[in-house]
Amino acid sequence: MIIDKIALLLAIVGALNWGGIGLFGFDTVAFLCGGQMSILSRVIYALVGLAGLWCVTLLFRTDEETGHAPHTA
């Protein structure tokens, strides 16, 4: 599903941004968008948060819902 891939990509962007904040004290989104409180930054932060919530649903999906073959080990 395309929305799953978009959500995962946004979650990765958010994780990398938080990693930059934690390791270097540098907020890439704020730097690129004109500060933490700019409208564009806030939209990106909100989209990343929604993407993270969507990614939680990936944990609870069955193989039939995802279209993947069952795991065999």
Side-chain angles (χ1 to χ4, degrees), residues 10-35:
L10 285 170
I12 291 169
V13 167
L16 292 173
N17 192 55
W18 275 108
I21 293 169
L23 294 173
F24 309 113
F26 184 74
D27 186 343
T28 305
V29 172
F31 176 76
L32 294 176
C33 299

Side-chain angles (χ1 to χ4, degrees), residues 3-68:
I3 195 165
D4 294 341
K5 291 181 181 182
I6 292 169
L8 187 57
L9 179 65
L10 285 170
I12 291 169
V13 167
L16 292 173
N17 192 55
W18 275 108
I21 293 169
L23 294 173
F24 309 113
F26 184 74
D27 186 343
T28 305
V29 172
F31 176 76
L32 294 176
C33 299
Q36 278 188 328
M37 294 309 291
S38 74
I39 295 297
L40 185 56
S41 291
R42 294 180 68 186
V43 166
I44 292 172
Y45 294 142
L47 288 174
V48 167
L50 291 172
L53 290 174
W54 183 268
C55 287
V56 170
T57 67
L58 297 175
L59 295 172
F60 300 103
R61 293 199 193 157
T62 63
D63 290 329
E64 293 84 32
E65 291 172 329
T66 61
H68 293 108

